[in-house]
């Protein structure tokens, strides 16, 4: 069981089992703007990499929305 704002839980623990053997992943995040959000995406992609065999290819598609105020920094 996980609690809100709990620390020390990795993406491997949360999603690793579900991502093992994946061939295609779609990440939909309309608020992918800030550094910490992008870092979370990077950590998720690292989990995908760890759960895949070296010879496997995993297609990852990220769907987001351009920030109306800071789209150039996104």
């Amino acid at each position: 069981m996980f609690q809100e704002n709990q620390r020390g839980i990795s993406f491997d623990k949360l999603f690793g089992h579900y991502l093992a053997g994946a061939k295609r992943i779609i990440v939909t995040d309309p608020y992918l703007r800030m550094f910490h959000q992008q870092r979370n995406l990077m950590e998720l992609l690292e989990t995908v990499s760890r759960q895949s065999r070296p010879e496997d290819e995993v297609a990852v598609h990220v769907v987001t929305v351009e920030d109306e105020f800071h789209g150039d920094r996104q």
Side-chain angles (χ1 to χ4, degrees):
M1 187 81 168
F2 302 106
Q3 296 179 6
E4 188 173 345
N5 294 321
Q6 183 176 349
R7 294 177 165 263
I9 304 298
S10 68
F11 280 96
D12 288 339
K13 288 181 183 177
L14 284 173
F15 304 117
H17 176 74
Y18 301 104
L19 296 172
K23 301 291 182 202
R24 184 169 183 252
I25 299 170
I26 300 173
V27 177
T28 303
D29 186 345
Y31 302 105
L32 192 56
R33 296 178 174 91
M34 305 301 289
F35 174 77
H36 69 277
Q37 295 163 325
Q38 295 170 4
R39 185 189 62 225
N40 287 341
L41 176 60
M42 180 195 67
E43 290 178 13
L44 176 66
L45 295 176
E46 289 172 346
T47 295
V48 170
S49 177
R50 280 191 288 274
Q51 295 297 324
S52 303
R53 298 180 310 193
E55 65 271 15
D56 290 343
E57 184 174 311
V58 180
V60 179
H61 184 79
V62 178
V63 179
T64 191
V65 177
E66 184 176 354
D67 185 330
E68 65 183 275
F69 302 108
H70 303 288
D72 58 327
R73 295 183 1 199
Q74 189 171 359

